[in-house]
Amino acid sequence: MLTVYPQTKTYFSHWSDLSIGSGPVKAHGKKVMGGVADAVASIDDLTGGLQAKSELHAFKLRVDPANFKTLSHCINVVIANMFPKDFTPEAHVSFDKFLACVSLALSDKYR
């Protein structure tokens, strides 16, 4: 995401290394995918389950909520490249819909 959408680098200017595979980038990737796992665990109430993350991104980090959609697209591309046989059109549509719901839940505190 930092390479394809360089405008997102502004949120990470405090990192010493923004290159692919760097320690901070890998650590944040784990954190993001941990958030996706949290969303799966709270799939019946995404807004409630992701409330703390929504508040963090809205009030403390001040992340533009449009970046959630951008990140969702990047996650879809990576999953499609890593698991091409398993990522069928049906799986793609389902996962894309799920990530759209996650993005909406994360944007809740911006309203």
Side-chain angles (χ1 to χ4, degrees):
M1 184 165 157
L2 298 172
T3 302
V4 179
Y5 299 97
Q7 69 274 17
T8 60
K9 289 181 180 180
T10 60
Y11 298 106
F12 307 102
S13 60
H14 57 284
W15 290 357
S16 60
D17 186 3
L18 293 169
S19 64
I20 295 172
S22 72
V25 172
K26 287 172 114 177
H28 190 67
K30 286 181 184 180
K31 200 178 289 188
V32 167
M33 294 312 290
V36 173
D38 291 344
V40 170
S42 60
I43 197 164
D44 291 329
D45 181 18
L46 285 173
T47 303
L50 298 176
Q51 181 176 5
K53 286 175 179 51
S54 179
E55 289 174 356
L56 172 69
H57 285 81
F59 303 129
K60 184 176 180 189
L61 302 175
R62 300 189 183 274
V63 173
D64 181 347
N67 287 318
F68 300 139
K69 184 177 180 181
T70 302
L71 179 60
S72 295
H73 174 72
C74 290
I75 292 171
N76 263 321
V77 169
V78 169
I79 297 295
N81 280 306
M82 290 181 71
F83 307 102
K85 292 181 182 175
D86 298 319
F87 206 59
T88 63
E90 295 82 8
H92 184 159
V93 168
S94 297
F95 194 56
D96 190 45
K97 184 176 180 180
F98 170 71
L99 290 176
C101 291
V102 170
S103 296
L104 185 63
L106 287 171
S107 300
D108 184 62
K109 293 300 175 185
Y110 290 84
R111 294 179 228 144

